[in-house]
PDB file of all heavy atoms in Angstrom:
ATOM      1  N   ARG K  24      80.772 144.334 192.872  1.00  0.00           N
ATOM      2  CA  ARG K  24      79.954 145.400 192.296  1.00  0.00           C
ATOM      3  C   ARG K  24      78.725 145.658 193.164  1.00  0.00           C
ATOM      4  O   ARG K  24      78.404 146.799 193.486  1.00  0.00           O
ATOM      5  CB  ARG K  24      79.510 144.985 190.883  1.00  0.00           C
ATOM      6  CG  ARG K  24      78.403 145.867 190.356  1.00  0.00           C
ATOM      7  CD  ARG K  24      77.646 145.247 189.201  1.00  0.00           C
ATOM      8  NE  ARG K  24      76.501 146.077 188.862  1.00  0.00           N
ATOM      9  CZ  ARG K  24      75.406 145.629 188.268  1.00  0.00           C
ATOM     10  NH1 ARG K  24      75.312 144.358 187.929  1.00  0.00           N
ATOM     11  NH2 ARG K  24      74.418 146.437 188.019  1.00  0.00           N
ATOM     12  N   ARG K  31      76.890 152.554 198.320  1.00  0.00           N
ATOM     13  CA  ARG K  31      76.543 153.810 197.666  1.00  0.00           C
ATOM     14  C   ARG K  31      75.100 154.223 197.949  1.00  0.00           C
ATOM     15  O   ARG K  31      74.748 155.389 197.830  1.00  0.00           O
ATOM     16  CB  ARG K  31      76.728 153.717 196.141  1.00  0.00           C
ATOM     17  CG  ARG K  31      78.108 153.392 195.699  1.00  0.00           C
ATOM     18  CD  ARG K  31      79.082 154.542 195.933  1.00  0.00           C
ATOM     19  NE  ARG K  31      80.410 154.056 196.250  1.00  0.00           N
ATOM     20  CZ  ARG K  31      81.274 153.577 195.363  1.00  0.00           C
ATOM     21  NH1 ARG K  31      80.965 153.573 194.093  1.00  0.00           N
ATOM     22  NH2 ARG K  31      82.438 153.127 195.744  1.00  0.00           N
ATOM     23  N   ARG K  99      68.637 147.769 181.523  1.00  0.00           N
ATOM     24  CA  ARG K  99      69.628 148.817 181.303  1.00  0.00           C
ATOM     25  C   ARG K  99      70.680 148.414 180.289  1.00  0.00           C
ATOM     26  O   ARG K  99      71.523 149.203 179.928  1.00  0.00           O
ATOM     27  CB  ARG K  99      70.338 149.148 182.599  1.00  0.00           C
ATOM     28  CG  ARG K  99      69.531 150.049 183.473  1.00  0.00           C
ATOM     29  CD  ARG K  99      70.284 150.333 184.747  1.00  0.00           C
ATOM     30  NE  ARG K  99      69.425 151.003 185.679  1.00  0.00           N
ATOM     31  CZ  ARG K  99      69.158 152.299 185.621  1.00  0.00           C
ATOM     32  NH1 ARG K  99      69.711 153.029 184.695  1.00  0.00           N
ATOM     33  NH2 ARG K  99      68.347 152.846 186.481  1.00  0.00           N
ATOM     34  N   ARG K 104      75.903 143.491 178.327  1.00  0.00           N
ATOM     35  CA  ARG K 104      77.355 143.644 178.328  1.00  0.00           C
ATOM     36  C   ARG K 104      78.003 142.442 179.009  1.00  0.00           C
ATOM     37  O   ARG K 104      78.960 141.878 178.503  1.00  0.00           O
ATOM     38  CB  ARG K 104      77.756 144.928 179.037  1.00  0.00           C
ATOM     39  CG  ARG K 104      79.228 144.967 179.342  1.00  0.00           C
ATOM     40  CD  ARG K 104      79.806 146.334 179.259  1.00  0.00           C
ATOM     41  NE  ARG K 104      79.901 146.800 177.898  1.00  0.00           N
ATOM     42  CZ  ARG K 104      79.786 148.076 177.541  1.00  0.00           C
ATOM     43  NH1 ARG K 104      79.597 148.981 178.443  1.00  0.00           N
ATOM     44  NH2 ARG K 104      79.880 148.417 176.277  1.00  0.00           N
ATOM     45  N   GLY K 277      65.780 143.248 177.363  1.00  0.00           N
ATOM     46  CA  GLY K 277      67.139 143.750 177.447  1.00  0.00           C
ATOM     47  C   GLY K 277      67.797 144.048 176.110  1.00  0.00           C
ATOM     48  O   GLY K 277      68.296 143.153 175.455  1.00  0.00           O
ATOM     49  N   ALA K 279      70.421 145.543 173.315  1.00  0.00           N
ATOM     50  CA  ALA K 279      71.857 145.791 173.203  1.00  0.00           C
ATOM     51  C   ALA K 279      72.095 147.269 173.101  1.00  0.00           C
ATOM     52  O   ALA K 279      71.272 147.986 172.595  1.00  0.00           O
ATOM     53  CB  ALA K 279      72.426 145.119 171.968  1.00  0.00           C
TER      54      ALA K 279
ATOM     55  N   ARG U  48      72.677 142.379 167.969  1.00  0.00           N
ATOM     56  CA  ARG U  48      72.594 141.450 169.104  1.00  0.00           C
ATOM     57  C   ARG U  48      72.902 140.018 168.677  1.00  0.00           C
ATOM     58  O   ARG U  48      73.501 139.259 169.429  1.00  0.00           O
ATOM     59  CB  ARG U  48      71.216 141.527 169.769  1.00  0.00           C
ATOM     60  CG  ARG U  48      70.933 142.909 170.332  1.00  0.00           C
ATOM     61  CD  ARG U  48      69.709 142.914 171.215  1.00  0.00           C
ATOM     62  NE  ARG U  48      70.001 142.321 172.500  1.00  0.00           N
ATOM     63  CZ  ARG U  48      69.166 141.536 173.173  1.00  0.00           C
ATOM     64  NH1 ARG U  48      67.986 141.258 172.669  1.00  0.00           N
ATOM     65  NH2 ARG U  48      69.510 141.052 174.339  1.00  0.00           N
ATOM     66  N   LEU U  81      81.193 145.572 172.492  1.00  0.00           N
ATOM     67  CA  LEU U  81      79.833 145.972 172.161  1.00  0.00           C
ATOM     68  C   LEU U  81      79.442 147.220 172.935  1.00  0.00           C
ATOM     69  O   LEU U  81      79.619 147.298 174.149  1.00  0.00           O
ATOM     70  CB  LEU U  81      78.861 144.835 172.525  1.00  0.00           C
ATOM     71  CG  LEU U  81      77.366 145.187 172.562  1.00  0.00           C
ATOM     72  CD1 LEU U  81      76.845 145.469 171.163  1.00  0.00           C
ATOM     73  CD2 LEU U  81      76.570 144.061 173.202  1.00  0.00           C
ATOM     74  N   GLN U  84      72.676 150.138 172.385  1.00  0.00           N
ATOM     75  CA  GLN U  84      71.881 151.338 172.130  1.00  0.00           C
ATOM     76  C   GLN U  84      71.635 152.099 173.437  1.00  0.00           C
ATOM     77  O   GLN U  84      71.535 153.303 173.459  1.00  0.00           O
ATOM     78  CB  GLN U  84      70.557 150.931 171.476  1.00  0.00           C
ATOM     79  CG  GLN U  84      69.739 152.107 170.999  1.00  0.00           C
ATOM     80  CD  GLN U  84      68.608 151.660 170.078  1.00  0.00           C
ATOM     81  OE1 GLN U  84      68.471 150.491 169.731  1.00  0.00           O
ATOM     82  NE2 GLN U  84      67.786 152.603 169.682  1.00  0.00           N
ATOM     83  N   ALA U  86      72.993 152.773 177.355  1.00  0.00           N
ATOM     84  CA  ALA U  86      74.258 152.688 178.082  1.00  0.00           C
ATOM     85  C   ALA U  86      74.263 151.514 179.056  1.00  0.00           C
ATOM     86  O   ALA U  86      73.309 151.295 179.789  1.00  0.00           O
ATOM     87  CB  ALA U  86      74.518 153.987 178.830  1.00  0.00           C
ATOM     88  N   ASP U  89      77.132 150.630 185.288  1.00  0.00           N
ATOM     89  CA  ASP U  89      76.426 150.671 186.562  1.00  0.00           C
ATOM     90  C   ASP U  89      76.382 152.089 187.094  1.00  0.00           C
ATOM     91  O   ASP U  89      77.415 152.708 187.348  1.00  0.00           O
ATOM     92  CB  ASP U  89      77.105 149.737 187.576  1.00  0.00           C
ATOM     93  CG  ASP U  89      76.255 149.578 188.829  1.00  0.00           C
ATOM     94  OD1 ASP U  89      75.817 150.603 189.382  1.00  0.00           O
ATOM     95  OD2 ASP U  89      76.028 148.431 189.240  1.00  0.00           O
ATOM     96  N   GLU U  96      85.577 152.285 188.600  1.00  0.00           N
ATOM     97  CA  GLU U  96      85.090 151.000 189.101  1.00  0.00           C
ATOM     98  C   GLU U  96      84.389 150.195 188.007  1.00  0.00           C
ATOM     99  O   GLU U  96      84.558 148.976 187.905  1.00  0.00           O
ATOM    100  CB  GLU U  96      84.133 151.216 190.279  1.00  0.00           C
ATOM    101  CG  GLU U  96      84.840 151.576 191.564  1.00  0.00           C
ATOM    102  CD  GLU U  96      83.890 152.145 192.625  1.00  0.00           C
ATOM    103  OE1 GLU U  96      82.729 152.455 192.288  1.00  0.00           O
ATOM    104  OE2 GLU U  96      84.325 152.293 193.766  1.00  0.00           O
ATOM    105  N   SER U 108      94.298 140.548 184.523  1.00  0.00           N
ATOM    106  CA  SER U 108      94.739 140.474 185.915  1.00  0.00           C
ATOM    107  C   SER U 108      94.344 141.778 186.599  1.00  0.00           C
ATOM    108  O   SER U 108      94.058 142.776 185.940  1.00  0.00           O
ATOM    109  CB  SER U 108      96.248 140.297 185.970  1.00  0.00           C
ATOM    110  OG  SER U 108      96.868 141.483 185.506  1.00  0.00           O
TER     111      SER U 108
END
Side-chain angles (χ1 to χ4, degrees):
Chain K
R24 166 199 173 205
R31 300 290 147 77
R99 280 180 190 280
R104 167 146 288 148
Chain U
R48 298 191 76 219
L81 166 69
Q84 188 167 356
D89 190 311
E96 284 165 349
S108 68

